[in-house]
Amino acid sequence: VQLQASGGGLVQPGGSLRLSCAVSGLTTSDNFMNWFSQAPGKERVFVAGIKWREGTKRYADSVKGRFTISRDSAENAVYLQMNSLKPEDTAVYYCASSSVVVSTAAGAIAWGQGTQVTVSS
């Protein structure tokens, strides 16, 4: 599978961004699509995940109620709508596939390149 993330940028606190991840070459192992974030000097952490076929969603507690993950099977894309952004959301965001539900980066199979999100006034 190949993944390509886009949509990052600079936004003020309280603002919104929509990240996109173009997906190609899906295999039978790519059951879940996930978003991870990595802030400077910190480890990569799980943000949200979606089961590709059923659309079942999971979120990290820190983003529940603010972020929404979705997928478009026809367009082979995964999205992360980010609302009410906070400075602590500043990070590089990565999309990643996995065969099972994951909560850590170690469980991911394939990674896209990251897209920088900066929340600052």
Side-chain angles (χ1 to χ4, degrees):
V1 64
Q2 290 79 46
L3 307 169
Q4 185 168 356
S6 61
L10 172 64
V11 63
Q12 292 186 342
S16 298
L17 277 177
R18 189 193 195 208
L19 305 184
S20 300
C21 179
V23 181
S24 61
L26 277 171
T27 72
T28 55
S29 295
D30 303 305
N31 296 316
F32 295 84
M33 290 296 163
N34 308 280
W35 287 97
F36 287 81
S37 67
Q38 187 167 20
K42 296 188 177 181
E43 64 180 17
R44 198 169 294 185
V45 297
F46 173 81
V47 174
I50 187 167
K51 196 168 186 181
W52 185 252
R53 281 182 286 276
E54 290 84 355
T56 309
K57 305 173 185 181
R58 292 173 58 241
Y59 297 95
D61 288 343
S62 60
V63 306
K64 282 181 181 176
R66 300 189 298 122
F67 292 9
T68 303
I69 189 171
S70 61
R71 56 96 169 89
D72 186 328
S73 300
E75 295 293 327
N76 278 351
V78 180
Y79 306 101
L80 186 67
Q81 178 66 43
M82 310 165 68
N83 298 329
S84 302
L85 282 160
K86 305 175 182 180
E88 51 263 43
D89 295 319
T90 296
V92 178
Y93 284 75
Y94 299 87
C95 55
S97 68
S98 62
S99 59
V100 296
V101 171
V102 295
S103 297
T104 68
I109 296 174
W111 294 90
Q113 91 291 357
T115 185
Q116 175 71 47
V117 172
T118 302
V119 185
S120 174
S121 55

